[in-house]
Amino acid sequence: MKLDIVTIFPEYFAPLDISLLGKARRAGLLDVRVHDLRDWTHDRHRTVDDTPYGGGPGMVMKPDPWGEALDTLVPPTTPTAEPDPEPGTDESGAREFGAGAAPATVPRLIIPTPSGRPFTQADAVRYAAEPWLVFACGRYEGIDTRVAEEARTRMPVDEVSLGDFVLAGGEVAVLVMVEAIGRLLPGVLGNADSVADDSFAPGAMESLLEGPVYTKPPVWRERPVPDILLSGHHGAIARWRRDEALRRTARHRPELLSHLAPEALDKHDRAVLREAGFPVDGEGMAD
Ligand code: 6GU
């Protein structure tokens, strides 16, 4: 997978050299290129922002450097005489975009912004299947809206948010997304099971939070590991883990339970939740 990241703070992305993703890059699984937006400015001060039209606080990122950056990374396609033998994808499986355009590969452009739609594990899974992503890190009050509008005529564009809070810029959000995506790439994690069991993995445990985990020693500061985990009874251990996942989800994220399909909870699940104070037979269910 190829990732281009455009930012005014390339130093923010030093963590991509270490740990899991650093290893994935050195193994050739992940090709990350970080670009300084100011390389596409032409004035002495390398200006990337200006005051907002209509007034108001803060500054807005100018469209020109962004337009040139995207033109450089994703050259506008020129029509050719050669008809496309098989429309839709090229031989690498990559996307073509735009009716009547020449066969061309374009990335998905991802713009982190608190006004985007929520980024979820399902997005991480979808993005991990793409050959090429471009991330545009905005700062200040965001990027002039025309940049995303114009980019949409040439490539798919997603504006995504990490949650209901405001960061000072998109850089940390991109680090978060790149880690969420990168760990899903084939060969990046040692143990494939650790992806399938994730909280929020599509299909895995129907999006319950994961329960508590323990390792050696069996007693630590007078706190024993629950006997059941040492019992060797795999069925009983699985049941216990599910009970704990249900209790933790009821406590921390009750709305996840109300979004479960009714058939996702059996009689035992309902009994556990009732005992935890979350009746789930339609009556009094917290949302
Ligand atoms: Cl994606 N960007 C910024 N700047 N702030 C955020 C965010 C993204 N998600 C939550 N807050």
Side-chain angles (χ1 to χ4, degrees):
M1 164 180 274
K2 181 174 156 187
L3 301 180
D4 286 294
I5 301 171
V6 184
T7 172
I8 58 168
F9 294 120
E11 312 79 22
Y12 252 104
F13 295 92
L16 297 181
D17 293 339
I18 59 172
S19 191
L20 198 73
L21 295 183
K23 204 171 155 205
R25 293 174 74 184
R26 290 186 291 277
L29 300 170
L30 198 56
D31 175 13
V32 182
R33 295 163 198 215
V34 181
H35 311 272
D36 187 343
L37 179 69
R38 292 189 201 276
D39 290 349
W40 287 285
T41 59
H42 303 288
D43 63 310
R44 270 168 37 83
H45 298 106
R46 309 183 87 198
T47 310
V48 292
D49 62 334
D50 206 336
T51 54
Y53 273 124
M59 298 290 270
V60 173
M61 293 191 107
K62 295 161 64 63
D64 256 328
W66 281 109
E68 289 191 31
L70 292 173
D71 287 349
T72 305
L73 297 176
V74 189
T77 53
T78 49
T80 63
E82 282 298 308
D84 184 1
E86 199 196 317
T89 58
D90 69 9
E91 47 301 337
S92 72
R95 180 188 307 103
E96 290 166 17
F97 199 79
T105 307
V106 299
R108 178 177 299 276
L109 175 62
I110 301 171
I111 306 177
T113 165
S115 52
R117 61 159 177 76
F119 175 78
T120 66
Q121 186 64 21
D123 295 310
V125 169
R126 279 194 304 113
Y127 293 161
E130 303 233 359
W132 183 14
L133 302 173
V134 176
F135 291 94
C137 300
R139 280 262 144 187
Y140 316 113
E141 298 300 311
I143 304 170
D144 186 305
T145 298
R146 294 168 292 183
V147 172
E149 274 175 20
E150 196 242 6
R152 263 193 192 97
T153 67
R154 302 201 275 129
M155 65 193 96
V157 179
D158 290 353
E159 294 176 277
V160 297
S161 165
L162 295 191
D164 295 339
F165 49 85
V166 181
L167 302 171
E171 282 77 10
V172 168
V174 169
L175 279 174
V176 169
M177 288 189 273
V178 168
E179 182 156 312
I181 295 162
R183 66 184 283 281
L184 298 174
L185 298 176
V188 170
L189 278 192
N191 180 358
D193 288 344
S194 40
V195 166
D197 281 356
D198 288 344
S199 291
F200 310 114
M205 284 199 94
E206 309 106 15
S207 294
L208 298 180
L209 301 184
E210 286 177 47
V213 295
Y214 299 86
T215 185
K216 290 171 276 298
V219 180
W220 180 75
R221 298 189 179 180
E222 295 174 45
R223 294 164 186 273
V225 171
D227 286 336
I228 184 82
L229 295 178
L230 309 176
S231 70
H233 294 130
H234 300 296
I237 291 170
R239 182 67 253 178
W240 181 86
R241 286 189 168 143
R242 183 169 175 88
D243 294 351
E244 290 297 317
L246 287 163
R247 291 187 190 107
R248 184 174 288 206
T249 307
R251 195 160 16 106
H252 292 171
R253 298 291 305 280
E255 81 282 6
L256 292 179
L257 292 173
S258 52
H259 295 152
L260 288 180
E263 64 272 18
L265 297 175
D266 64 16
K267 266 184 72 178
H268 183 109
D269 294 334
R270 285 163 202 281
V272 168
L273 289 172
R274 210 175 303 119
E275 212 167 302
F278 284 85
V280 279
D281 296 307
E283 88 293 350
M285 178 64 204
D287 195 357

